[in-house]
Amino acid sequence: MQTELTLVIGNKNYSSWSLRAWLPLKRSGLAFSEVFVPLMTPGYKDKLLEYSPAGKVPALLIDGRPVWDSLAIAEWVAEQKPEFWPRDAFERAWARSVTAEMHSGFSGVRGAMPMNCRASGRRVELDDATRDEVARICEIWTQCRETFADRGPWLFGEWSIADAFYAPVASRFRTYGVDVNAACAGYIETTWSDPLMQEWLSHAQQETQVIEKGEVG
Ligand SMILES: N[C@@H](CCC(=O)N[C@@H](CS)C(=O)NCC(=O)O)C(=O)O
């Protein structure tokens, strides 16, 4: 019998963690259905708790059983699609390092520049700590692109889970006009023009709910 997959996500315009899980699952070609829980609406938390013990999105229901947290979901998908991590053991560890660095850090960037796919031309003042985070992200992207340029346009040449984790960051840098070098600008463009990203963005465009704390700049 085929496994039944349901991905529970929040607003595509704002939910960066949902995007991190949706991209690998969509790219895998596995059939899944989506459940949309509009965040910050009355009763939304109880709704989330029906699906995820953590009360957050994303959650992946595998035959009704939950896997929660974007990284756990991405790892499950990569078990079905091992090519979603680099083949070489060191490169795989490197990709996991940059993914983990995103997953557990960059709180300044997340706080100052919330993902808002519909917005453009926004500008925010960044404090020194957040500027340092931006510089670190650019360092990660530049080093990866310089190393793997001959294998393809993604961080590790071919698309990997690391690209899913940095997709919301690329979106933020674009929305808030963050000044980056040519390698990073090229990577942001690669992410933005990806057909799956475009699909996500077109769904975000159709959403009408406005979440105030996501409207910055
Ligand atoms: N570390 C978690 C973070 C999940 C998270 O913070 N999700 C946000 C949406 S982007 C959420 O569910 N917010 C609603 C709430 O906390 O009530 C993951 O990677 O999945």
Side-chain angles (χ1 to χ4, degrees), residues 9-11 14-21 39-40 44-45 48 54-59 68-73 103-104 110 115 165 172 213:
I9 54 174
N11 308 57
Y14 300 108
S15 184
S16 57
W17 297 111
S18 297
L19 174 59
R20 290 180 177 97
L39 300 177
M40 310 302 163
Y44 86 95
K45 199 69 176 176
L48 290 184
K56 290 188 184 295
V57 284
W68 62 96
D69 194 286
S70 54
L71 188 52
I73 295 168
H103 194 56
S104 61
R110 290 199 232 133
M115 188 173 91
F165 273 69
R172 288 170 159 114
K213 75 174 182 150

Side-chain angles (χ1 to χ4, degrees), residues 15-186:
S15 184
S16 57
W17 297 111
S18 297
L19 174 59
R20 290 180 177 97
W22 185 88
L23 280 172
L25 193 54
K26 196 77 182 167
R27 202 169 186 102
S28 73
L30 295 168
F32 69 100
S33 53
E34 286 178 31
V35 168
F36 168 44
V37 178
L39 300 177
M40 310 302 163
T41 54
Y44 86 95
K45 199 69 176 176
D46 289 340
K47 193 82 192 151
L48 290 184
L49 285 164
E50 285 175 23
Y51 299 111
S52 161
K56 290 188 184 295
V57 284
L60 177 65
L61 307 180
I62 304 174
D63 288 332
R65 296 181 303 169
V67 175
W68 62 96
D69 194 286
S70 54
L71 188 52
I73 295 168
E75 287 286 10
W76 182 86
V77 177
E79 283 181 19
Q80 326 306 309
K81 297 277 168 189
E83 65 271 28
F84 283 4
W85 289 117
R87 260 173 292 271
D88 174 80
F90 177 75
E91 290 171 7
R92 196 159 58 245
W94 181 355
R96 283 202 163 102
S97 297
V98 304
T99 300
E101 193 171 342
M102 170 66 246
H103 194 56
S104 61
F106 303 129
S107 57
V109 165
R110 290 199 232 133
M113 297 184 277
M115 188 173 91
N116 185 343
C117 297
R118 289 192 298 260
S120 65
R122 302 284 175 102
R123 293 293 177 271
V124 285
E125 277 298 316
L126 302 181
D127 62 20
D128 288 349
T130 306
R131 275 182 212 283
D132 287 348
E133 289 183 6
V134 168
R136 173 63 192 141
I137 291 167
C138 288
E139 183 179 55
I140 290 170
W141 289 358
T142 304
Q143 193 187 17
C144 284
R145 290 302 306 131
E146 282 175 355
T147 309
F148 298 104
D150 59 340
R151 293 201 215 155
W154 299 101
L155 288 177
F156 291 84
E158 289 170 45
W159 189 90
S160 76
I161 297 294
D163 297 297
F165 273 69
Y166 283 95
V169 182
S171 164
R172 288 170 159 114
F173 281 15
R174 204 173 179 278
T175 303
Y176 299 96
V178 175
D179 197 23
V180 292
N181 65 25
C184 294

Side-chain angles (χ1 to χ4, degrees), residues 177-204:
V178 175
D179 197 23
V180 292
N181 65 25
C184 294
Y187 178 64
I188 291 170
E189 192 44 42
T190 295
T191 301
W192 195 258
S193 59
D194 177 50
L196 293 182
M197 187 70 178
Q198 284 295 316
E199 185 177 330
W200 176 275
L201 295 170
S202 80
H203 294 167

